[in-house]
Amino acid sequence: MRTFILFACKARTDGDFSLEDLPGAGRIDLVARCISSALFISHDIRKDTRLFVVLNGPPSPPVILVFDGAIVKKISPDERSIAIWIQKVLVQLGSSQRTVLSNGIVAERKSFQELIKELKDFPIYVLHEKGKPITDVGIKQNPVWIIGDYLGLPGKDEKFALRYGKRVSLGDVSYLASACISVVHWLCDAQGI
Amino acid sequence: MRTFILFACKARTDGDFSLEDLPGAGRIDLVARCISSALFISHDIRKDTRLFVVLNGPPSPPVILVFDGAIVKKISPDERSIAIWIQKVLVQLGSSQRTVLSNGIVAERKSFQELIKELKDFPIYVLHEKGKPITDVGIKQNPVWIIGDYLGLPGKDEKFALRYGKRVSLGDVSYLASACISVVHWLCDAQGI
């Protein structure tokens, strides 16, 4: 099982955004690309992978979306299709605490730190340019990978995650979050993790 | 300089497609994701990278799009924005042989095999699951990476490319084309290529 957590600092927490302007919705385009990178290989879904997206934008953060490759159905890898599902689950969430779409996507009102506490028994890796080189880290089974968006992780949340995990680096280049996910998957595939 | 060539078997060769259905345009969504993966890092464009996209779908294939990171301007990493540029350059191409948009994107009527002939003096690597493991290949400077879309390279075109290049593999998994590009970039970055 591989787990990714994407921290989306400004991503909207209701469905009130335009599919014609996903960047303007707090970078829902970036969120959608990460979901695509995490869940899809060619012609198939990775059933061993789940992705939590922490939406931390207006109007009522935080909301966490859960895409579990073993459960979700009927999704396609393109940004617009994924954004339509995000919009649906946020509309269905409304002011409630938790909701599940018919295709398995979950939205719940929970914070990043609460999520980390739930996952603290897994090996946790926080991706950061200044971390230990990933090729020097013995990646353990069932890893949890924490990834910031274009703004990075908020300091207090990164500090909290580092109580349980360690900083790991893909190098000096600041990659797109979706590219980080693709590289991590490839390294885990190559190492049978 | 890094060069990628994406072979898009069914991608439309005119601008007559809906931005609301990029998958239905012969997988222009996939093309857009590859452009994003090839050209963007966080907050910047890779000026050392160019991407050729061979559009081989209806109504009048082939058309090659050129995105040169040293030249193109005003593009964003989201699929819809990129698709709008693709549509613009194809409309501007019309029935002519070659056109250049004001932001540097080029469209020209040229085949994959003509392009390979032009690039034959660079080291050419054809990505394929059954190739030599990429970690066993000494990647040379100024590599050209050839990547198929969800349908793969047509047999005759792959055979032609292999006159000049070699098959290289990222492993047994069939990755999304955009993920292949991200991994190749990461390997080249790590090796200073």
Side-chain angles (χ1 to χ4, degrees), chain A residues 20 23 29 33 41-43 46 77-80 150 170 173-176 179 182-183 186 189, chain B residues 20 23 29 33 41-43 46 77-80 150 170 173-176 179 182-183 186 189:
Chain A
E20 276 70 64
D29 63 310
R33 276 197 299 285
I41 54 175
S42 195
H43 304 287
R46 288 184 180 269
D78 65 296
E79 285 176 22
R80 184 183 165 92
Y150 68 111
L170 291 176
V173 179
S174 288
Y175 295 101
L176 298 183
S182 295
V183 172
W186 181 74
D189 288 341
Chain B
E20 277 69 65
D29 64 310
R33 276 197 300 284
I41 54 173
S42 195
H43 305 285
R46 287 183 180 270
D78 64 297
E79 286 176 20
R80 184 183 164 91
Y150 69 112
L170 292 176
V173 178
S174 287
Y175 295 100
L176 297 183
S182 296
V183 172
W186 181 74
D189 288 339

mmCIF file of all heavy atoms in Angstrom, chain A residues 20 23 29 33 41-43 46 77-80 150 170 173-176 179 182-183 186 189, chain B residues 20 23 29 33 41-43 46 77-80 150 170 173-176 179 182-183 186 189:
data_model
loop_
_atom_site.group_PDB
_atom_site.id
_atom_site.type_symbol
_atom_site.label_atom_id
_atom_site.label_comp_id
_atom_site.label_asym_id
_atom_site.label_seq_id
_atom_site.Cartn_x
_atom_site.Cartn_y
_atom_site.Cartn_z
ATOM 1 N N GLU A 20 -14.021 25.991 -16.095
ATOM 2 C CA GLU A 20 -13.237 26.713 -17.113
ATOM 3 C C GLU A 20 -12.065 27.469 -16.472
ATOM 4 O O GLU A 20 -11.294 28.108 -17.172
ATOM 5 C CB GLU A 20 -14.128 27.704 -17.870
ATOM 6 C CG GLU A 20 -14.895 27.064 -19.019
ATOM 7 C CD GLU A 20 -15.980 26.121 -18.547
ATOM 8 O OE1 GLU A 20 -16.936 26.565 -17.903
ATOM 9 O OE2 GLU A 20 -15.856 24.881 -18.788
ATOM 10 N N PRO A 23 -7.297 26.716 -12.297
ATOM 11 C CA PRO A 23 -6.224 27.395 -11.549
ATOM 12 C C PRO A 23 -6.796 28.451 -10.592
ATOM 13 O O PRO A 23 -6.295 28.633 -9.482
ATOM 14 C CB PRO A 23 -5.378 28.040 -12.661
ATOM 15 C CG PRO A 23 -5.603 27.176 -13.865
ATOM 16 C CD PRO A 23 -7.049 26.771 -13.761
ATOM 17 N N ASP A 29 -6.510 22.565 -10.632
ATOM 18 C CA ASP A 29 -5.830 21.879 -11.747
ATOM 19 C C ASP A 29 -4.659 21.051 -11.222
ATOM 20 O O ASP A 29 -4.476 19.894 -11.602
ATOM 21 C CB ASP A 29 -5.341 22.887 -12.802
ATOM 22 C CG ASP A 29 -4.295 23.846 -12.266
ATOM 23 O OD1 ASP A 29 -4.524 24.454 -11.191
ATOM 24 O OD2 ASP A 29 -3.224 23.995 -12.889
ATOM 25 N N ARG A 33 -4.187 17.003 -11.324
ATOM 26 C CA ARG A 33 -3.013 16.330 -11.917
ATOM 27 C C ARG A 33 -2.374 15.363 -10.925
ATOM 28 O O ARG A 33 -1.892 14.297 -11.307
ATOM 29 C CB ARG A 33 -1.961 17.355 -12.358
ATOM 30 C CG ARG A 33 -2.215 17.944 -13.720
ATOM 31 C CD ARG A 33 -0.966 18.616 -14.283
ATOM 32 N NE ARG A 33 -0.476 19.708 -13.477
ATOM 33 C CZ ARG A 33 -1.031 20.915 -13.399
ATOM 34 N NH1 ARG A 33 -2.135 21.177 -14.084
ATOM 35 N NH2 ARG A 33 -0.499 21.850 -12.647
ATOM 36 N N ILE A 41 -2.036 4.260 -14.061
ATOM 37 C CA ILE A 41 -1.012 3.849 -15.002
ATOM 38 C C ILE A 41 -1.749 3.723 -16.340
ATOM 39 O O ILE A 41 -2.950 3.995 -16.418
ATOM 40 C CB ILE A 41 -0.314 2.531 -14.589
ATOM 41 C CG1 ILE A 41 -1.342 1.427 -14.342
ATOM 42 C CG2 ILE A 41 0.539 2.761 -13.341
ATOM 43 C CD1 ILE A 41 -0.706 0.071 -14.054
ATOM 44 N N SER A 42 -1.047 3.314 -17.380
ATOM 45 C CA SER A 42 -1.688 3.234 -18.680
ATOM 46 C C SER A 42 -2.791 2.165 -18.641
ATOM 47 O O SER A 42 -2.526 1.022 -18.273
ATOM 48 C CB SER A 42 -0.622 2.895 -19.728
ATOM 49 O OG SER A 42 -1.099 3.140 -21.013
ATOM 50 N N HIS A 43 -4.000 2.556 -18.975
ATOM 51 C CA HIS A 43 -5.142 1.648 -19.065
ATOM 52 C C HIS A 43 -5.563 1.020 -17.736
ATOM 53 O O HIS A 43 -6.279 0.018 -17.740
ATOM 54 C CB HIS A 43 -4.873 0.518 -20.071
ATOM 55 C CG HIS A 43 -4.514 0.989 -21.438
ATOM 56 N ND1 HIS A 43 -5.433 1.539 -22.289
ATOM 57 C CD2 HIS A 43 -3.331 1.040 -22.093
ATOM 58 C CE1 HIS A 43 -4.836 1.884 -23.421
ATOM 59 N NE2 HIS A 43 -3.548 1.601 -23.323
ATOM 60 N N ARG A 46 -4.131 2.151 -10.088
ATOM 61 C CA ARG A 46 -3.277 1.501 -9.083
ATOM 62 C C ARG A 46 -4.129 1.177 -7.855
ATOM 63 O O ARG A 46 -4.438 2.065 -7.066
ATOM 64 C CB ARG A 46 -2.153 2.437 -8.672
ATOM 65 C CG ARG A 46 -1.066 2.637 -9.716
ATOM 66 C CD ARG A 46 0.017 3.524 -9.112
ATOM 67 N NE ARG A 46 1.118 3.786 -10.000
ATOM 68 C CZ ARG A 46 2.228 3.040 -10.085
ATOM 69 N NH1 ARG A 46 2.356 1.974 -9.335
ATOM 70 N NH2 ARG A 46 3.194 3.376 -10.909
ATOM 71 N N PRO A 77 -8.271 10.010 -16.284
ATOM 72 C CA PRO A 77 -7.089 10.765 -15.869
ATOM 73 C C PRO A 77 -7.066 12.241 -16.259
ATOM 74 O O PRO A 77 -6.148 12.944 -15.842
ATOM 75 C CB PRO A 77 -5.937 10.002 -16.555
ATOM 76 C CG PRO A 77 -6.551 9.318 -17.709
ATOM 77 C CD PRO A 77 -7.974 9.045 -17.352
ATOM 78 N N ASP A 78 -8.052 12.723 -17.007
ATOM 79 C CA ASP A 78 -7.962 14.136 -17.423
ATOM 80 C C ASP A 78 -8.443 15.078 -16.319
ATOM 81 O O ASP A 78 -9.305 14.747 -15.511
ATOM 82 C CB ASP A 78 -8.722 14.369 -18.726
ATOM 83 C CG ASP A 78 -10.212 14.142 -18.576
ATOM 84 O OD1 ASP A 78 -10.623 12.998 -18.296
ATOM 85 O OD2 ASP A 78 -10.977 15.114 -18.701
ATOM 86 N N GLU A 79 -7.859 16.275 -16.318
ATOM 87 C CA GLU A 79 -8.106 17.235 -15.233
ATOM 88 C C GLU A 79 -9.576 17.593 -15.085
ATOM 89 O O GLU A 79 -10.099 17.668 -13.976
ATOM 90 C CB GLU A 79 -7.324 18.533 -15.490
ATOM 91 C CG GLU A 79 -5.853 18.410 -15.221
ATOM 92 C CD GLU A 79 -5.105 19.692 -15.571
ATOM 93 O OE1 GLU A 79 -5.710 20.775 -15.631
ATOM 94 O OE2 GLU A 79 -3.883 19.591 -15.802
ATOM 95 N N ARG A 80 -10.231 17.839 -16.212
ATOM 96 C CA ARG A 80 -11.621 18.282 -16.130
ATOM 97 C C ARG A 80 -12.524 17.211 -15.506
ATOM 98 O O ARG A 80 -13.345 17.511 -14.650
ATOM 99 C CB ARG A 80 -12.134 18.660 -17.526
ATOM 100 C CG ARG A 80 -13.540 19.216 -17.527
ATOM 101 C CD ARG A 80 -14.012 19.504 -18.959
ATOM 102 N NE ARG A 80 -15.442 19.684 -18.977
ATOM 103 C CZ ARG A 80 -16.050 20.851 -18.846
ATOM 104 N NH1 ARG A 80 -15.349 21.943 -18.702
ATOM 105 N NH2 ARG A 80 -17.364 20.926 -18.866
ATOM 106 N N TYR A 150 2.182 24.235 -4.849
ATOM 107 C CA TYR A 150 3.088 25.283 -5.337
ATOM 108 C C TYR A 150 3.535 26.223 -4.220
ATOM 109 O O TYR A 150 4.504 26.966 -4.381
ATOM 110 C CB TYR A 150 2.421 26.072 -6.474
ATOM 111 C CG TYR A 150 1.242 26.911 -6.045
ATOM 112 C CD1 TYR A 150 1.304 28.292 -6.043
ATOM 113 C CD2 TYR A 150 0.049 26.317 -5.617
ATOM 114 C CE1 TYR A 150 0.223 29.064 -5.634
ATOM 115 C CE2 TYR A 150 -1.030 27.073 -5.213
ATOM 116 C CZ TYR A 150 -0.939 28.439 -5.215
ATOM 117 O OH TYR A 150 -2.010 29.195 -4.807
ATOM 118 N N LEU A 170 14.103 14.826 -3.587
ATOM 119 C CA LEU A 170 14.281 14.329 -4.964
ATOM 120 C C LEU A 170 15.387 15.109 -5.679
ATOM 121 O O LEU A 170 15.625 14.899 -6.862
ATOM 122 C CB LEU A 170 12.975 14.455 -5.745
ATOM 123 C CG LEU A 170 11.826 13.530 -5.319
ATOM 124 C CD1 LEU A 170 10.566 13.839 -6.114
ATOM 125 C CD2 LEU A 170 12.212 12.065 -5.509
ATOM 126 N N VAL A 173 16.057 20.484 -7.684
ATOM 127 C CA VAL A 173 15.006 21.064 -8.521
ATOM 128 C C VAL A 173 13.666 21.027 -7.769
ATOM 129 O O VAL A 173 13.341 20.046 -7.119
ATOM 130 C CB VAL A 173 14.874 20.271 -9.848
ATOM 131 C CG1 VAL A 173 13.760 20.842 -10.718
ATOM 132 C CG2 VAL A 173 16.194 20.263 -10.602
ATOM 133 N N SER A 174 12.905 22.121 -7.859
ATOM 134 C CA SER A 174 11.538 22.122 -7.313
ATOM 135 C C SER A 174 10.608 21.584 -8.389
ATOM 136 O O SER A 174 10.250 22.300 -9.320
ATOM 137 C CB SER A 174 11.099 23.536 -6.944
ATOM 138 O OG SER A 174 11.771 23.976 -5.807
ATOM 139 N N TYR A 175 10.223 20.335 -8.248
ATOM 140 C CA TYR A 175 9.365 19.714 -9.266
ATOM 141 C C TYR A 175 7.901 20.036 -9.012
ATOM 142 O O TYR A 175 7.496 20.325 -7.878
ATOM 143 C CB TYR A 175 9.549 18.197 -9.242
ATOM 144 C CG TYR A 175 10.938 17.760 -9.645
ATOM 145 C CD1 TYR A 175 11.879 17.404 -8.693
ATOM 146 C CD2 TYR A 175 11.304 17.724 -10.984
ATOM 147 C CE1 TYR A 175 13.159 17.016 -9.058
ATOM 148 C CE2 TYR A 175 12.573 17.339 -11.361
ATOM 149 C CZ TYR A 175 13.500 16.983 -10.398
ATOM 150 O OH TYR A 175 14.765 16.615 -10.762
ATOM 151 N N LEU A 176 7.097 19.930 -10.069
ATOM 152 C CA LEU A 176 5.656 19.960 -9.887
ATOM 153 C C LEU A 176 5.275 18.815 -8.943
ATOM 154 O O LEU A 176 5.884 17.741 -8.980
ATOM 155 C CB LEU A 176 4.925 19.745 -11.230
ATOM 156 C CG LEU A 176 5.145 20.778 -12.342
ATOM 157 C CD1 LEU A 176 4.271 20.418 -13.552
ATOM 158 C CD2 LEU A 176 4.829 22.190 -11.878
ATOM 159 N N ALA A 179 4.715 15.617 -10.676
ATOM 160 C CA ALA A 179 5.952 14.963 -11.119
ATOM 161 C C ALA A 179 6.605 14.228 -9.941
ATOM 162 O O ALA A 179 7.128 13.120 -10.108
ATOM 163 C CB ALA A 179 6.914 15.992 -11.712
ATOM 164 N N SER A 182 4.929 10.938 -9.604
ATOM 165 C CA SER A 182 5.340 9.985 -10.654
ATOM 166 C C SER A 182 6.711 9.384 -10.350
ATOM 167 O O SER A 182 6.926 8.176 -10.529
ATOM 168 C CB SER A 182 5.395 10.692 -12.020
ATOM 169 O OG SER A 182 4.108 11.117 -12.407
ATOM 170 N N VAL A 183 7.634 10.222 -9.883
ATOM 171 C CA VAL A 183 8.987 9.724 -9.595
ATOM 172 C C VAL A 183 8.967 8.784 -8.394
ATOM 173 O O VAL A 183 9.597 7.722 -8.415
ATOM 174 C CB VAL A 183 9.959 10.908 -9.366
ATOM 175 C CG1 VAL A 183 11.313 10.409 -8.882
ATOM 176 C CG2 VAL A 183 10.122 11.727 -10.648
ATOM 177 N N TRP A 186 7.656 5.471 -9.390
ATOM 178 C CA TRP A 186 8.638 4.733 -10.181
ATOM 179 C C TRP A 186 9.713 4.109 -9.281
ATOM 180 O O TRP A 186 10.074 2.947 -9.456
ATOM 181 C CB TRP A 186 9.281 5.661 -11.219
ATOM 182 C CG TRP A 186 10.275 4.979 -12.079
ATOM 183 C CD1 TRP A 186 10.016 4.094 -13.097
ATOM 184 C CD2 TRP A 186 11.696 5.088 -11.992
ATOM 185 N NE1 TRP A 186 11.188 3.656 -13.646
ATOM 186 C CE2 TRP A 186 12.237 4.246 -12.996
ATOM 187 C CE3 TRP A 186 12.568 5.801 -11.178
ATOM 188 C CZ2 TRP A 186 13.597 4.104 -13.198
ATOM 189 C CZ3 TRP A 186 13.927 5.666 -11.376
ATOM 190 C CH2 TRP A 186 14.441 4.833 -12.370
ATOM 191 N N ASP A 189 8.098 1.237 -7.427
ATOM 192 C CA ASP A 189 7.918 0.095 -8.345
ATOM 193 C C ASP A 189 9.240 -0.633 -8.535
ATOM 194 O O ASP A 189 9.299 -1.876 -8.480
ATOM 195 C CB ASP A 189 7.430 0.583 -9.727
ATOM 196 C CG ASP A 189 5.977 1.046 -9.712
ATOM 197 O OD1 ASP A 189 5.245 0.672 -8.791
ATOM 198 O OD2 ASP A 189 5.600 1.782 -10.645
ATOM 199 N N GLU B 20 -14.311 21.126 -23.667
ATOM 200 C CA GLU B 20 -15.023 20.364 -22.638
ATOM 201 C C GLU B 20 -14.858 18.861 -22.839
ATOM 202 O O GLU B 20 -15.364 18.069 -22.050
ATOM 203 C CB GLU B 20 -16.520 20.708 -22.650
ATOM 204 C CG GLU B 20 -16.866 21.969 -21.867
ATOM 205 C CD GLU B 20 -16.330 23.225 -22.531
ATOM 206 O OE1 GLU B 20 -16.771 23.544 -23.639
ATOM 207 O OE2 GLU B 20 -15.420 23.873 -21.950
ATOM 208 N N PRO B 23 -10.433 14.406 -24.028
ATOM 209 C CA PRO B 23 -10.206 12.984 -24.354
ATOM 210 C C PRO B 23 -10.834 12.606 -25.696
ATOM 211 O O PRO B 23 -10.270 11.815 -26.454
ATOM 212 C CB PRO B 23 -10.867 12.243 -23.182
ATOM 213 C CG PRO B 23 -10.807 13.222 -22.035
ATOM 214 C CD PRO B 23 -11.030 14.569 -22.678
ATOM 215 N N ASP B 29 -6.075 15.665 -24.010
ATOM 216 C CA ASP B 29 -5.759 15.782 -22.569
ATOM 217 C C ASP B 29 -4.388 15.172 -22.277
ATOM 218 O O ASP B 29 -3.566 15.749 -21.562
ATOM 219 C CB ASP B 29 -6.841 15.105 -21.715
ATOM 220 C CG ASP B 29 -6.938 13.606 -21.944
ATOM 221 O OD1 ASP B 29 -7.013 13.171 -23.120
ATOM 222 O OD2 ASP B 29 -6.910 12.845 -20.959
ATOM 223 N N ARG B 33 -1.029 17.061 -20.930
ATOM 224 C CA ARG B 33 -0.297 16.646 -19.718
ATOM 225 C C ARG B 33 1.180 16.422 -20.019
ATOM 226 O O ARG B 33 2.046 16.724 -19.199
ATOM 227 C CB ARG B 33 -0.890 15.355 -19.132
ATOM 228 C CG ARG B 33 -2.081 15.581 -18.227
ATOM 229 C CD ARG B 33 -2.380 14.371 -17.363
ATOM 230 N NE ARG B 33 -2.675 13.168 -18.113
ATOM 231 C CZ ARG B 33 -3.809 12.920 -18.735
ATOM 232 N NH1 ARG B 33 -4.780 13.819 -18.733
ATOM 233 N NH2 ARG B 33 -4.019 11.796 -19.390
ATOM 234 N N ILE B 41 8.708 23.084 -14.341
ATOM 235 C CA ILE B 41 9.011 22.744 -12.959
ATOM 236 C C ILE B 41 8.208 23.742 -12.132
ATOM 237 O O ILE B 41 7.463 24.551 -12.682
ATOM 238 C CB ILE B 41 10.531 22.808 -12.662
ATOM 239 C CG1 ILE B 41 11.102 24.165 -13.057
ATOM 240 C CG2 ILE B 41 11.263 21.672 -13.366
ATOM 241 C CD1 ILE B 41 12.549 24.350 -12.643
ATOM 242 N N SER B 42 8.333 23.678 -10.824
ATOM 243 C CA SER B 42 7.537 24.562 -9.996
ATOM 244 C C SER B 42 7.956 26.015 -10.242
ATOM 245 O O SER B 42 9.136 26.345 -10.117
ATOM 246 C CB SER B 42 7.742 24.171 -8.531
ATOM 247 O OG SER B 42 6.770 24.752 -7.725
ATOM 248 N N HIS B 43 7.005 26.848 -10.612
ATOM 249 C CA HIS B 43 7.228 28.285 -10.827
ATOM 250 C C HIS B 43 8.162 28.620 -11.984
ATOM 251 O O HIS B 43 8.665 29.742 -12.052
ATOM 252 C CB HIS B 43 7.779 28.965 -9.560
ATOM 253 C CG HIS B 43 6.924 28.748 -8.357
ATOM 254 N ND1 HIS B 43 5.734 29.395 -8.168
ATOM 255 C CD2 HIS B 43 7.074 27.938 -7.277
ATOM 256 C CE1 HIS B 43 5.195 29.017 -7.020
ATOM 257 N NE2 HIS B 43 5.968 28.131 -6.466
ATOM 258 N N ARG B 46 11.341 24.897 -18.129
ATOM 259 C CA ARG B 46 12.652 24.321 -18.433
ATOM 260 C C ARG B 46 13.125 24.866 -19.783
ATOM 261 O O ARG B 46 12.652 24.414 -20.827
ATOM 262 C CB ARG B 46 12.555 22.800 -18.518
ATOM 263 C CG ARG B 46 12.368 22.094 -17.186
ATOM 264 C CD ARG B 46 12.369 20.598 -17.436
ATOM 265 N NE ARG B 46 12.195 19.807 -16.232
ATOM 266 C CZ ARG B 46 13.189 19.373 -15.463
ATOM 267 N NH1 ARG B 46 14.438 19.656 -15.764
ATOM 268 N NH2 ARG B 46 12.933 18.635 -14.398
ATOM 269 N N PRO B 77 0.603 25.432 -16.768
ATOM 270 C CA PRO B 77 0.678 23.961 -16.784
ATOM 271 C C PRO B 77 -0.665 23.235 -16.822
ATOM 272 O O PRO B 77 -0.671 22.009 -16.935
ATOM 273 C CB PRO B 77 1.428 23.638 -15.485
ATOM 274 C CG PRO B 77 1.211 24.820 -14.591
ATOM 275 C CD PRO B 77 1.006 26.004 -15.475
ATOM 276 N N ASP B 78 -1.794 23.937 -16.738
ATOM 277 C CA ASP B 78 -3.071 23.200 -16.718
ATOM 278 C C ASP B 78 -3.509 22.773 -18.119
ATOM 279 O O ASP B 78 -3.222 23.431 -19.121
ATOM 280 C CB ASP B 78 -4.165 24.018 -16.020
ATOM 281 C CG ASP B 78 -4.499 25.292 -16.768
ATOM 282 O OD1 ASP B 78 -3.629 26.163 -16.897
ATOM 283 O OD2 ASP B 78 -5.646 25.397 -17.265
ATOM 284 N N GLU B 79 -4.218 21.659 -18.168
ATOM 285 C CA GLU B 79 -4.586 21.038 -19.454
ATOM 286 C C GLU B 79 -5.402 21.967 -20.347
ATOM 287 O O GLU B 79 -5.164 22.053 -21.550
ATOM 288 C CB GLU B 79 -5.416 19.764 -19.214
ATOM 289 C CG GLU B 79 -4.598 18.598 -18.722
ATOM 290 C CD GLU B 79 -5.464 17.384 -18.407
ATOM 291 O OE1 GLU B 79 -6.596 17.278 -18.893
ATOM 292 O OE2 GLU B 79 -4.987 16.537 -17.621
ATOM 293 N N ARG B 80 -6.364 22.645 -19.752
ATOM 294 C CA ARG B 80 -7.245 23.482 -20.567
ATOM 295 C C ARG B 80 -6.472 24.624 -21.231
ATOM 296 O O ARG B 80 -6.651 24.895 -22.422
ATOM 297 C CB ARG B 80 -8.380 24.032 -19.697
ATOM 298 C CG ARG B 80 -9.398 24.832 -20.476
ATOM 299 C CD ARG B 80 -10.458 25.412 -19.546
ATOM 300 N NE ARG B 80 -11.203 26.456 -20.212
ATOM 301 C CZ ARG B 80 -12.316 26.263 -20.899
ATOM 302 N NH1 ARG B 80 -12.826 25.066 -20.996
ATOM 303 N NH2 ARG B 80 -12.930 27.271 -21.483
ATOM 304 N N TYR B 150 -1.238 6.348 -25.404
ATOM 305 C CA TYR B 150 -1.938 5.174 -24.851
ATOM 306 C C TYR B 150 -1.989 4.012 -25.836
ATOM 307 O O TYR B 150 -2.251 2.878 -25.438
ATOM 308 C CB TYR B 150 -3.352 5.567 -24.387
ATOM 309 C CG TYR B 150 -4.293 5.922 -25.512
ATOM 310 C CD1 TYR B 150 -5.369 5.116 -25.825
ATOM 311 C CD2 TYR B 150 -4.104 7.070 -26.272
ATOM 312 C CE1 TYR B 150 -6.224 5.433 -26.871
ATOM 313 C CE2 TYR B 150 -4.941 7.398 -27.318
ATOM 314 C CZ TYR B 150 -5.996 6.586 -27.613
ATOM 315 O OH TYR B 150 -6.827 6.902 -28.657
ATOM 316 N N LEU B 170 11.615 1.773 -18.628
ATOM 317 C CA LEU B 170 11.450 2.251 -17.250
ATOM 318 C C LEU B 170 10.951 1.131 -16.343
ATOM 319 O O LEU B 170 10.679 1.364 -15.170
ATOM 320 C CB LEU B 170 10.454 3.425 -17.208
ATOM 321 C CG LEU B 170 10.921 4.732 -17.866
ATOM 322 C CD1 LEU B 170 9.801 5.771 -17.848
ATOM 323 C CD2 LEU B 170 12.145 5.287 -17.144
ATOM 324 N N VAL B 173 6.033 -1.846 -15.705
ATOM 325 C CA VAL B 173 4.770 -1.122 -15.620
ATOM 326 C C VAL B 173 4.601 -0.232 -16.860
ATOM 327 O O VAL B 173 5.556 0.409 -17.301
ATOM 328 C CB VAL B 173 4.745 -0.244 -14.343
ATOM 329 C CG1 VAL B 173 3.445 0.555 -14.253
ATOM 330 C CG2 VAL B 173 4.943 -1.095 -13.097
ATOM 331 N N SER B 174 3.379 -0.210 -17.402
ATOM 332 C CA SER B 174 3.086 0.739 -18.495
ATOM 333 C C SER B 174 2.645 2.048 -17.871
ATOM 334 O O SER B 174 1.508 2.191 -17.425
ATOM 335 C CB SER B 174 1.950 0.205 -19.377
ATOM 336 O OG SER B 174 2.390 -0.855 -20.156
ATOM 337 N N TYR B 175 3.545 3.002 -17.844
ATOM 338 C CA TYR B 175 3.232 4.281 -17.216
ATOM 339 C C TYR B 175 2.505 5.200 -18.187
ATOM 340 O O TYR B 175 2.633 5.066 -19.405
ATOM 341 C CB TYR B 175 4.519 4.960 -16.759
ATOM 342 C CG TYR B 175 5.236 4.207 -15.665
ATOM 343 C CD1 TYR B 175 6.339 3.398 -15.950
ATOM 344 C CD2 TYR B 175 4.805 4.288 -14.343
ATOM 345 C CE1 TYR B 175 6.987 2.696 -14.948
ATOM 346 C CE2 TYR B 175 5.449 3.587 -13.342
ATOM 347 C CZ TYR B 175 6.539 2.796 -13.649
ATOM 348 O OH TYR B 175 7.165 2.089 -12.654
ATOM 349 N N LEU B 176 1.782 6.173 -17.617
ATOM 350 C CA LEU B 176 1.249 7.256 -18.442
ATOM 351 C C LEU B 176 2.429 7.944 -19.128
ATOM 352 O O LEU B 176 3.512 8.071 -18.545
ATOM 353 C CB LEU B 176 0.516 8.286 -17.575
ATOM 354 C CG LEU B 176 -0.722 7.830 -16.797
ATOM 355 C CD1 LEU B 176 -1.346 9.026 -16.062
ATOM 356 C CD2 LEU B 176 -1.754 7.171 -17.692
ATOM 357 N N ALA B 179 3.961 10.602 -17.075
ATOM 358 C CA ALA B 179 4.780 10.095 -15.972
ATOM 359 C C ALA B 179 6.160 9.678 -16.486
ATOM 360 O O ALA B 179 7.182 9.919 -15.823
ATOM 361 C CB ALA B 179 4.086 8.909 -15.298
ATOM 362 N N SER B 182 8.249 12.743 -16.689
ATOM 363 C CA SER B 182 8.689 13.206 -15.361
ATOM 364 C C SER B 182 9.862 12.373 -14.846
ATOM 365 O O SER B 182 10.818 12.917 -14.284
ATOM 366 C CB SER B 182 7.532 13.125 -14.354
ATOM 367 O OG SER B 182 6.496 14.007 -14.719
ATOM 368 N N VAL B 183 9.781 11.069 -15.025
ATOM 369 C CA VAL B 183 10.846 10.190 -14.528
ATOM 370 C C VAL B 183 12.140 10.415 -15.323
ATOM 371 O O VAL B 183 13.231 10.507 -14.748
ATOM 372 C CB VAL B 183 10.407 8.708 -14.582
ATOM 373 C CG1 VAL B 183 11.577 7.778 -14.251
ATOM 374 C CG2 VAL B 183 9.249 8.456 -13.624
ATOM 375 N N TRP B 186 13.786 13.546 -14.222
ATOM 376 C CA TRP B 186 14.403 13.373 -12.899
ATOM 377 C C TRP B 186 15.740 12.635 -13.021
ATOM 378 O O TRP B 186 16.739 13.029 -12.408
ATOM 379 C CB TRP B 186 13.441 12.619 -11.967
ATOM 380 C CG TRP B 186 14.002 12.424 -10.598
ATOM 381 C CD1 TRP B 186 14.134 13.371 -9.625
ATOM 382 C CD2 TRP B 186 14.533 11.216 -10.051
ATOM 383 N NE1 TRP B 186 14.704 12.825 -8.505
ATOM 384 C CE2 TRP B 186 14.961 11.504 -8.740
ATOM 385 C CE3 TRP B 186 14.678 9.912 -10.538
ATOM 386 C CZ2 TRP B 186 15.537 10.535 -7.910
ATOM 387 C CZ3 TRP B 186 15.246 8.956 -9.708
ATOM 388 C CH2 TRP B 186 15.667 9.268 -8.419
ATOM 389 N N ASP B 189 18.217 15.018 -14.592
ATOM 390 C CA ASP B 189 18.634 16.027 -13.598
ATOM 391 C C ASP B 189 19.667 15.426 -12.651
ATOM 392 O O ASP B 189 20.701 16.045 -12.362
ATOM 393 C CB ASP B 189 17.430 16.502 -12.764
ATOM 394 C CG ASP B 189 16.466 17.387 -13.546
ATOM 395 O OD1 ASP B 189 16.878 17.958 -14.569
ATOM 396 O OD2 ASP B 189 15.301 17.502 -13.123
#
